[in-house]
Amino acid sequence: MLVLGIETSCDETGVALFDSEAGLLSHALFSQIDMHADYGGVVPELASRDHVRKLLPLCDQVLSDAGKERAHIEGIAYTAGPGLVGALMVGGSVAHALGYALGVPVLGVHHMEGHLLAPMLEDAPPAFPFVALLVSGGHTQLVRVNGIGEYEMLGESVDDAAGEAFDKTAKMLGLDYPGGPRVAALAEKGTPDRYRFPRPMTDRPGLDFSFSGLKTFTLNTVNAAKDAGEFDDQVRADIALAFESAVVDTLTIKCRRALEQAECKRLVIAGGVSANKRLRAGLEKMAAKLNAEVFYARPEFCTDNGAMIAYAGAQRLVAGQRDGDRIVAVPRWPMNTLPAVSEPRQNGLAD
């Protein structure tokens, strides 16, 4: 089945063409980072309007790149949630309009399931079962994955996501949006062990996360440096390194616990923060001690993209799942409520 995938959950317009037999044929992405940078974060109304402008041209681009025409499309997958409801509605509206015009099935896909399955696009994908760390601006979750749609939530953030903490720390340090990559770049210039930040919730059992206290500790450190007249470029780099190290250590400790608890030897890391080099190095070192493997998507598929939605949607469309006539847009959508691929699903939700 030839599936067109559409991603418009936030500030990236992503489109891809995936063939269930031949694999990924083409993909394209337009990022709104420059537009939102002036505001220090995503402005939902501006994001929605830009998706309207960019989506159909990107659809035509991926078809052209793959040497295909609209008539060749056999199914359409779009991000139905979680995300910004206006942005989700743009993708859902285009998907359903194209599906109606072409007479092909349409299916709303869970955004985080797309991230979780993105490593499946690689030449050596992980086998089931595995433990997945989903770490992004909106989510920090540990999930045991027995199959597509067979998800057991092991732990998640009780407050802020790790990616959000990166963005807020970037603002404290006077860095531009998006914060995560800029904090990581600044941390490369930091002095190891000048500051020691807490590793939240690692001194107690369990697999949940909390990053709000770490943000407060970072803010207090920044304010103390400013009050002492010591908030220069080196101090900023030292704080960035201390913060990043605390996040990486926290995620690594929890992942080790999850692998041991789930009795798994495979770890998948997905989401925007999965591109962080220090995190990847820390997880690989930890996994080696457990004789386990770590899998992640290539860098361009770590952040939001159409390829992951096309792949996830193709698995469910091939199994016969599809939307009804209603456009599905679900700003909040627990992933563990999704049905397995073999189970019936209508209107983008479990029956």
Side-chain angles (χ1 to χ4, degrees):
M1 176 181 277
L2 185 64
V3 176
L4 180 73
I6 294 173
E7 156 60 21
T8 61
S9 65
C10 192
D11 62 339
E12 313 276 6
T13 312
V15 181
L17 204 60
F18 181 85
D19 189 297
S20 58
E21 295 182 0
L24 183 65
L25 302 184
S26 60
H27 64 95
L29 183 74
F30 180 82
S31 175
Q32 302 175 2
I33 285 177
D34 291 343
M35 178 176 66
H36 296 292
D38 291 341
Y39 302 94
V42 177
V43 181
E45 176 66 18
L46 295 181
S48 300
R49 290 178 180 274
D50 208 52
H51 288 313
V52 171
R53 288 189 288 267
K54 299 299 191 305
L55 189 48
L56 281 176
L58 285 178
C59 289
D60 291 337
Q61 179 183 329
V62 298
L63 286 166
S64 176
D65 290 346
K68 303 290 185 180
E69 298 179 359
R70 289 187 183 180
H72 293 136
I73 297 173
E74 298 173 289
I76 301 173
Y78 67 96
T79 301
L84 303 175
V85 67
L88 294 171
M89 285 298 297
V90 174
S93 298
V94 170
H96 272 269
L98 285 174
Y100 181 80
L102 298 173
V104 300
V106 179
L107 181 69
V109 171
H110 194 289
H111 179 73
M112 296 310 295
E113 182 175 62
H115 275 303
L116 185 151
L117 298 177
M120 297 296 186
L121 293 164
E122 303 305 311
D123 294 335
F128 299 113
F130 56 78
V131 169
L133 171 65
L134 303 178
V135 57
S136 66
H139 298 81
T140 304
Q141 300 174 331
L142 279 166
V143 186
R144 179 184 168 94
V145 181
N146 295 317
I148 298 177
E150 300 177 46
Y151 308 131
E152 176 188 353
M153 194 66 63
L154 301 176
E156 59 187 330
S157 179
V158 299
D159 42 53
D160 301 328
E164 181 184 357
F166 265 102
D167 288 338
K168 295 294 177 57
T169 295
K171 289 185 177 181
M172 298 176 202
L173 297 175
L175 302 175
D176 293 333
Y177 174 85
R182 301 188 189 281
V183 170
L186 183 59
E188 292 296 321
K189 304 174 184 177
T191 305
D193 301 323
R194 177 170 182 178
Y195 295 101
R196 172 72 181 181
F197 283 16
R199 276 61 175 160
M201 294 184 71
T202 58
D203 59 348
R204 68 192 75 175
L207 295 173
D208 286 336
F209 303 90
S210 172
F211 293 103
S212 62
L214 181 59
K215 287 195 316 181
T216 301
F217 192 94
T218 304
L219 179 60
N220 291 338
T221 304
V222 168
N223 288 338
K226 289 181 177 178
D227 292 343
E230 299 174 351
F231 195 60
D232 57 19
D233 289 345
Q234 187 58 55
V235 168
R236 291 168 65 243
D238 295 343
I239 293 174
L241 176 58
F243 168 82
E244 184 184 49
S245 297
V247 173
V248 168
D249 286 353
T250 299
L251 295 174
T252 301
I253 291 168
K254 296 287 186 172
C255 284
R256 180 183 183 117
R257 289 182 187 174
L259 288 170
E260 293 173 338
Q261 177 178 311
E263 298 182 340
C264 268
K265 292 294 185 180
R266 288 177 290 272
L267 174 68
V268 165
I269 173 174
V273 182
S274 70
N276 183 281
K277 294 180 181 179
R278 198 177 302 274
L279 176 59
R280 290 192 176 197
L283 291 175
E284 288 177 356
K285 183 178 180 180
M286 176 274 296
K289 293 180 180 179
L290 297 180
N291 195 29
E293 299 178 273
V294 182
F295 299 85
Y296 32 72
R298 70 195 75 166
E300 63 262 38
F301 294 158
C302 289
T303 54
D304 295 349
N305 63 87
M308 68 183 193
I309 301 303
Y311 177 85
Q315 310 314 304
R316 293 184 176 277
L317 285 164
V318 167
Q321 296 183 8
R322 61 251 299 107
D323 283 355
D325 295 331
R326 180 169 61 91
I327 298 170
V328 180
V330 189
R332 297 184 183 276
W333 188 3
M335 194 172 66
N336 57 359
T337 64
L338 291 172
V341 166
S342 59
E343 297 174 0
R345 174 177 161 183
Q346 296 177 352
N347 293 327
L349 300 173
D351 288 344

